[in-house]
Amino acid sequence: MLALRNSVRAPERLLLTLLTLMLGGALFMGVLATARSFDRTLDRLLTQQNAMDSLLVFEDVERAGRVVPLAESHPDVTAAEAWYSEKAGMTLPDGSELEMSVLGVPQDTAFYRPDLADGVWLSHGAPDGIVLNVDWAAAAGVGVGDSVTLTLGDVESTWQVVGLNRELSMAGAQDFAAVHSYVSFGAISRVLGRVDRTQSLRVGYTVHDAASQARITDELVDLLESEGVSVFSVQTIAQIEQRADNLYSILITVLLVMSLLMAVVGGLGLMGMMAINVMERRKEIGVMRAIGAGDVAVLQIFWGESMVVALLSYVLAVVGSVPIGRFMSRAIGLSFLKMPLDFAYAWPSLWLWLAIIAVIGTVASILPAWSAARLSVRESLSYE
């Protein structure tokens, strides 16, 4: 009861201490919620949208009818698809020109699941249909039904926009997360006059963990190169996920350090608050000791007071972590992925921050409580 009463004796001092500790805790839990939201969004956009296990790019253009059966002959390969990519110049309806990457994909592809914002996918569109990134199309002023002109190599061709697609678009990750436009594999082969030609394979495996992906990919590369097919580069989905994680992990780490530093500042404020309380209540301490309070009782009173403040800040931090987490998820998502993250609260952060704030409350009370316990009755009662 003394701990509860004494913790609110100086409301202004209590409010300042609570505010700092609450902000530190809310930021800490909000950052962990943002990290979980990023993982959830990345899984949806990358792993679920791209069902392949590896991407193999060849040094030269190869015959699709040769490399696909070779890849599928591996016992751990379930399927392989030949894709074709080409840099292209696009002429928009207003006459402006832009450079972009065009992917020729099988119309019945099993390795890519579009997330259409409008229109239809290639399997339901016209033979000369093209699917654009929805954000890119909005910035360029292009919509479903418009016609655009592509310059593929030296060949100009007209395509009709049949769909607008949401996809992973991460700043600074041009190798694996650039914005692409999609046309059918047959259509781009026809325009370029290249029959049964490809520069890359998307491959699916029987197992999908990172170690198995790396092992099977190495074996697949050895198999292809033993047949005279030179592989220029390989990427597994696990590697792509790791690269994406690396792009934001530094930011998450910095934000976590900031939140912990704020918590340390709050802990120092709590320690200062407790020290002032000891100074202001020396006579009270003397009276308690005169009527029989021992060192342990005095220590418990001031430790309890510190823990009351810490736990009050914890409750406020839990409440504040939800709006802070949502705000950070939106801001970081728009910065990295050009879209808000799929918010997911990090429930383990509740227990983690509870443990941290309990440690902060205990450490902040050690010196003030110890100094209070060491006061003699004569020193306490003679204090002016």
Side-chain angles (χ1 to χ4, degrees):
M1 294 300 296
L2 284 172
L4 288 172
R5 185 202 67 178
N6 292 333
S7 62
V8 296
R9 287 180 65 173
E12 298 83 0
R13 195 183 305 157
L14 173 65
L15 182 61
L16 290 174
T17 305
L18 282 177
L19 182 62
T20 308
L21 288 173
M22 183 271 289
L23 287 176
L27 182 59
F28 178 85
M29 289 182 280
V31 170
L32 292 183
T34 302
R36 189 165 188 269
S37 301
F38 195 98
D39 291 337
R40 179 179 178 180
T41 306
L42 192 64
D43 179 71
R44 178 177 65 83
L45 289 177
L46 187 59
T47 307
Q48 296 181 20
Q49 196 170 54
N50 295 273
M52 65 180 180
D53 286 286
S54 68
L55 165 64
L56 283 71
V57 180
F58 306 124
E59 289 189 1
D60 301 309
V61 176
E62 302 287 346
R63 281 199 311 111
R66 177 169 179 252
V67 293
V68 169
L70 272 176
E72 291 180 339
S73 67
H74 190 287
D76 290 319
V77 171
T78 57
E81 290 182 358
W83 287 37
Y84 197 96
S85 74
E86 187 77 22
K87 293 293 183 181
M90 175 177 283
T91 303
L92 302 176
D94 62 2
S96 60
E97 295 186 359
L98 296 171
E99 289 189 357
M100 63 185 307
S101 177
V102 178
L103 290 180
V105 306
Q107 287 187 325
D108 58 349
T109 177
F111 291 148
Y112 186 76
R113 304 183 184 98
D115 183 9
L116 294 173
D118 192 13
V120 296
W121 183 240
L122 300 171
S123 58
H124 303 287
D128 59 349
I130 185 171
V131 175
L132 303 177
N133 175 270
V134 60
D135 297 321
W136 183 90
V142 180
V144 173
D146 290 340
S147 295
V148 295
T149 300
L150 295 183
T151 303
L152 296 163
D154 297 327
V155 181
E156 285 193 358
S157 54
T158 301
W159 304 76
Q160 183 182 19
V161 179
V162 297
L164 300 178
N165 183 42
R166 303 182 189 93
E167 64 179 349
L168 181 64
S169 170
M170 191 174 301
Q174 301 300 324
D175 57 339
F176 65 92
V179 177
H180 295 111
S181 296
Y182 297 88
V183 300
S184 72
F185 184 83
I188 196 172
S189 298
R190 183 179 66 253
V191 169
L192 294 173
R194 294 178 176 177
V195 180
D196 194 39
R197 292 293 187 269
T198 183
Q199 320 113 312
S200 64
L201 286 182
R202 266 72 171 171
V203 189
Y205 300 153
T206 56
V207 286
H208 311 291
D209 60 280
S212 297
Q213 284 180 349
R215 175 184 61 80
I216 298 171
T217 300
D218 290 341
E219 294 174 359
L220 192 56
V221 170
D222 293 340
L223 173 63
L224 290 168
E225 293 192 339
S226 68
E227 297 293 331
V229 179
S230 297
V231 179
F232 175 73
S233 66
V234 296
Q235 291 184 98
T236 65
I237 282 292
Q239 291 172 336
I240 292 173
E241 288 179 327
Q242 185 60 48
R243 294 185 190 182
D245 288 340
N246 291 340
L247 287 174
Y248 82 98
S249 60
I250 295 177
L251 175 61
I252 295 297
T253 301
V254 170
L255 291 174
L256 282 176
V257 170
M258 286 177 56
S259 67
L260 291 175
L261 287 176
M262 189 173 295
V264 170
V265 172
L268 292 174
L270 179 58
M271 183 183 296
M273 172 184 170
M274 297 301 301
I276 294 173
N277 287 348
V278 171
M279 292 179 60
E280 291 177 345
R281 289 154 47 199
R282 293 186 68 168
K283 285 192 175 182
E284 178 183 325
I285 295 169
V287 171
M288 287 191 297
R289 295 184 68 83
I291 62 175
D295 292 349
V296 174
V298 175
L299 286 171
Q300 287 178 339
I301 289 172
F302 285 95
W303 175 80
E305 183 178 337
S306 179
M307 292 305 297
V308 167
V309 177
L311 292 176
L312 280 174
S313 75
Y314 172 77
V315 174
L316 295 174
V318 171
V319 175
S321 65
V322 176
I324 288 179
R326 288 188 177 276
F327 172 78
M328 294 177 64
S329 295
R330 177 176 177 82
I332 291 178
L334 291 173
S335 298
F336 280 82
L337 301 178
K338 310 302 180 186
M339 61 180 292
L341 300 179
D342 299 334
F343 181 73
Y345 195 79
W347 295 106
S349 66
L350 295 175
W351 307 109
L352 183 57
W353 183 250
L354 180 61
I356 292 174
I357 199 66
V359 171
I360 290 175
T362 299
V363 172
S365 69
I366 291 175
L367 289 179
W370 180 253
S371 65
R374 302 305 298 168
L375 289 173
S376 66
V377 175
R378 185 178 63 82
E379 290 174 332
S380 302
L381 296 180
S382 63
Y383 177 75
E384 295 292 339

